[in-house]
Amino acid sequence: MSEAIPIPVEVDPVSGQWSVDGLPMILVPRHLITNNLHAVEERIGYDASTTLFRAPGYHSAQQWCAHQAARHGLKGAAVVRHYLEHMSRRGWGRFTIEELDLDRGRARVRLDDSALAARAVGPQRSACYMFAGWLEGAVDHVRPRGATGVRSREIRCRAAGAEHCLFTVDET
């Protein structure tokens, strides 16, 4: 039994470009993303790979949150919740906010059924590091002006044998 995609996808009849909420999208098989991540890890190493993907993830989350906040009139924690709900709907896994304190720059986010942990190639270690930058970008986007930045880290990963992935976000 299949379900309809839980997000509205618009397809431009001339260009074929897909969009969701006015943002261009590309539908790709999960293995394309995970194979590319694995190739980068093999080429530059695991530690360098975790560093490489943090900044672009951060900036992408900032762009998405700014667009969605303006489009839907969202503010504060509602932006972060909306972001993680949509990432869940897009097949990255099921994100659940366990704690969110924007004034203190703190969050705790559980991730079940991670698309990245499912790849689990190589040593049993954290596979979901790409999400750290996303969480930092989303939380920083709605922090009070003048607040310092935040840093996210995955403290448990399904790929390393945990029941689910778990991220913390803390003020730097």
Side-chain angles (χ1 to χ4, degrees):
M1 177 175 168
S2 70
E3 247 180 75
I5 297 175
I7 51 176
V9 176
E10 298 165 8
V11 181
D12 182 284
V14 176
S15 68
Q17 178 176 291
W18 287 33
S19 65
V20 173
D21 276 345
L23 285 172
M25 298 284 164
I26 300 171
L27 178 65
V28 299
R30 180 166 68 182
H31 67 261
L32 176 67
I33 302 296
T34 58
N35 287 343
N36 277 285
L37 285 172
H38 182 66
V40 171
E41 285 176 25
E42 284 185 330
R43 176 71 169 207
I44 68 172
Y46 176 80
D47 292 336
S49 184
T50 64
T51 301
L52 175 70
F53 287 104
R54 188 175 292 271
Y58 179 95
H59 294 298
S60 294
Q62 291 263 309
Q63 290 171 314
W64 193 93
C65 288
H67 180 271
Q68 292 295 292
R71 186 175 181 102
H72 298 290
L74 302 172
K75 295 183 189 305
V79 176
V80 178
R81 285 187 187 93
H82 183 73
Y83 178 63
L84 294 179
E85 177 184 315
H86 278 257
M87 294 303 101
S88 296
R89 288 180 175 182
R90 291 192 174 112
W92 291 105
R94 292 179 296 126
F95 291 90
T96 303
I97 297 172
E98 294 184 346
E99 175 190 355
L100 183 59
D101 183 341
L102 296 175
D103 291 329
R104 292 177 41 209
R106 293 184 51 99
R108 186 174 171 100
V109 178
R110 176 181 172 142
L111 174 58
D112 290 281
D113 303 315
S114 167
L116 301 182
R119 72 186 175 103
V121 291
Q124 297 299 301
R125 61 181 175 216
S126 172
C128 302
Y129 53 82
M130 193 167 77
F131 298 134
W134 298 8
L135 294 170
E136 291 168 1
V139 170
D140 257 356
H141 178 74
V142 296
R143 296 282 317 280
R145 289 201 182 270
T148 61
V150 297
R151 188 74 168 176
S152 176
R153 65 188 182 98
E154 185 176 21
I155 59 174
R156 280 189 232 146
C157 187
R158 180 76 176 119
E163 181 180 329
H164 57 269
C165 303
L166 187 64
F167 291 85
T168 58
V169 179
D170 293 294
E171 196 168 58
T172 54

